[in-house]
Amino acid sequence: PISQPSFARAVGAELSSRPRLITDMFDQTVRDHATAPAIDFFGRTWSWQELSDVADKAAAGLQRLGVGRGSRVALCLPN
């Protein structure tokens, strides 16, 4: 693994190690780039806002089924 100091020297950049939740990062991206393409899959392009709306609907559906904080959820998807 590359340590932060050697990486910073290699690219000439200062790295921030401020911890952030991935959900906070996603929400910030939606706010900053709502209409920008987030996913392009088989000719269907989803904006960040559309992706957020679908994620919210999926979360609400799981909550209606009794899934909550600490619950384990598995996804079984085709290859």
Side-chain angles (χ1 to χ4, degrees):
I2 299 174
S3 69
Q4 277 193 354
S6 66
F7 179 80
R9 280 193 305 275
V11 298
E14 184 102 9
L15 297 178
S16 169
S17 59
R18 180 176 60 102
R20 295 178 62 193
L21 296 174
I22 194 167
T23 51
D24 292 341
M25 293 167 40
F26 180 83
D27 292 341
Q28 185 64 52
T29 301
V30 172
R31 283 190 298 274
D32 292 346
H33 307 285
T35 60
I39 296 176
D40 186 346
F41 186 69
F42 285 108
R44 167 69 161 102
T45 302
W46 298 66
S47 70
W48 283 100
Q49 185 62 61
E50 289 172 314
L51 189 59
S52 178
D53 293 344
V54 169
D56 289 344
K57 287 178 185 177
L62 289 170
Q63 287 173 341
R64 282 193 300 276
L65 292 172
V67 174
R69 185 178 298 266
S71 297
R72 293 186 177 143
V73 175
L75 297 176
C76 297
L77 304 171
N79 288 338

